[in-house]
């Protein structure tokens, strides 16, 4: 049985990797301008939305395999809350997990900001992969649209997480199911909100980004946490005969 310190450390490292890998791809690789030929034509190259979505999925897959057997591989306050509601994680673990996840996200944001400032002419405002609504949404979606999307997608994310780690689920496939789900979530919602479904991911870059992101951060706590509660309630009600007591789960590997 892993110690509480080992669990907290695993959540910190895993959340750092999720924010650094996913947001880092959005910051450094999603868009890049290059000179195309001798005429000086400038072309835009980069991995785009698909590459960013894949990066977020890969961060979860890799850390779930590396650390999921230690802490459960949440790396997300909404997942931890939903797992507690659904009877998969003891409530006593929630405060330590949340602190570790927030610290991991902020350390990743600091590292990304530090690296990005090494590019001449780079400015942080609007360029740190922050989440937002209205004028700060990539597609200028309204606050209401962002809230609905974040709640719905987080709830489904929780259902996949609880289902993939159910002791009745196929062994060794949980990390892949969870990673692919996060990738799909990003493909849907990057244009809507730049995709949060994770308050630690949003917090990790909001204050380094500025430009309205800190003022809108509340949405990316409230909506994912509500979605986490919904998912945490629905899975036991629909698929575990309403059992909310603590139940053992299988490792994701």
């Amino acid at each position: 049985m892993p110690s509480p310190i080992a669990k907290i450390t695993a959540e910190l490292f895993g959340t750092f990797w999720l924010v650094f890998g996913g947001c880092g791809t959005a910051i450094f690789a999603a868009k890049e301008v290059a000179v195309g030929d001798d005429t000086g034509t400038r072309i835009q190259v980069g991995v785009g939305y698909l590459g960013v979505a894949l990066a977020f999925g890969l961060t979860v897959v890799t850390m779930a395999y590396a650390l999921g057997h230690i802490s459960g591989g949440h790396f997300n306050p909404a997942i931890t809350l939903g797992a507690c509601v659904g009877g998969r994680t003891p409530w006593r673990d929630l405060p330590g997990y949340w602190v570790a996840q927030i610290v991991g996200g902020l350390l990743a944001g600091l590292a990304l900001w530090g690296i990005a400032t090494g590019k001449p002419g780079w400015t942080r405002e609007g360029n740190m992969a922050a989440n937002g609504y209205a004028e700060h949404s990539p597609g200028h979606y309204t606050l209401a649209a962002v809230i609905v999307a974040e709640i719905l997608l987080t709830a489904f994310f929780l259902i996949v997480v609880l289902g993939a780690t159910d002791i009745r689920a196929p062994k060794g496939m949980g990390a892949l199911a969870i990673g692919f789900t996060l990738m799909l979530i990003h493909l849907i919602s990057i244009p809507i909100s730049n995709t949060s479904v994770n308050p630690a991911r949003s917090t990790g870059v909001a204050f380094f980004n500025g430009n309205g992101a800190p003022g809108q951060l509340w949405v990316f706590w409230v909506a994912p946490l509500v979605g986490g509660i919904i998912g945490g309630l629905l899975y036991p009600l629909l698929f575990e005969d309403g059992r909310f007591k603590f139940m053992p789960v299988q490792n994701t590997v």
Side-chain angles (χ1 to χ4, degrees), residues 1-19 59-60 62-76 80 93 96-105 107 200 252:
M1 178 69 68
S3 69
I5 295 299
K7 290 181 178 181
I8 290 172
T9 303
E11 286 298 307
L12 189 152
F13 272 74
T15 309
F16 178 97
W17 187 239
L18 185 150
V19 175
T59 62
V60 170
T62 52
M63 275 296 159
Y65 278 122
L67 301 175
H69 58 285
I70 298 173
S71 68
H74 296 182
F75 318 137
N76 180 338
T80 300
D93 288 347
Y97 273 39
W98 275 20
V99 170
Q101 291 156 357
I102 294 167
V103 171
L107 288 174
T252 54

Side-chain angles (χ1 to χ4, degrees), residues 53 55 61 79 172 182 211 223:
V61 170
I79 296 296
L182 188 59
N211 193 35

Side-chain angles (χ1 to χ4, degrees), residues 78-88 91 151 154-163 224-245 247:
I79 296 296
T80 300
L81 179 60
C84 290
V85 170
R88 296 296 188 82
W91 283 98
I151 290 175
T154 309
F156 270 92
F157 195 22
L158 254 296
I159 290 171
V160 171
V161 169
L162 296 180
L225 291 180
V226 170
I229 292 170
I230 292 171
L233 290 171
L234 283 180
Y235 190 85
L237 284 173
L238 297 176
F239 308 115
E240 292 180 337
D241 301 321
R243 291 177 291 180
F244 288 93
K245 63 182 180 180
M247 298 177 64

Side-chain angles (χ1 to χ4, degrees), residues 17-36:
W17 187 239
L18 185 150
V19 175
F20 188 83
C23 294
T25 301
I27 294 167
F28 303 125
K31 297 179 181 179
E32 185 63 40
V33 175
V35 176

Side-chain angles (χ1 to χ4, degrees), residues 80-221:
T80 300
L81 179 60
C84 290
V85 170
R88 296 296 188 82
T89 298
W91 283 98
R92 65 177 179 272
D93 288 347
L94 186 143
Y97 273 39
W98 275 20
V99 170
Q101 291 156 357
I102 294 167
V103 171
L106 287 169
L107 288 174
L110 176 62
L112 290 169
W113 172 80
I115 294 169
T117 56
K119 180 178 181 178
W122 183 85
T123 58
R124 68 184 181 93
E125 291 82 5
N127 292 311
M128 283 291 294
N131 303 113
Y133 59 86
E135 68 272 20
H136 299 296
S137 157
H140 299 284
Y141 284 82
T142 64
L143 172 61
V146 167
I147 289 174
V148 171
E150 289 286 331
I151 290 175
L152 183 64
L153 292 171
T154 309
F156 270 92
F157 195 22
L158 254 296
I159 290 171
V160 171
V161 169
L162 296 180
T165 57
D166 195 309
I167 56 175
R168 301 166 295 177
K171 299 291 188 288
M173 302 301 291
L176 291 176
I178 294 166
F180 280 133
T181 301
L182 188 59
M183 179 180 175
L184 175 59
I185 286 170
H186 279 78
L187 289 175
I188 295 168
S189 61
I190 288 177
I192 301 171
S193 63
N194 219 20
T195 309
S196 174
V197 301
N198 184 340
R201 170 262 189 269
S202 299
T203 303
V205 296
F207 297 100
F208 296 99
N209 181 89
N211 193 35
Q216 295 189 351
L217 183 59
W218 67 272
V219 176
F220 303 102
W221 271 89

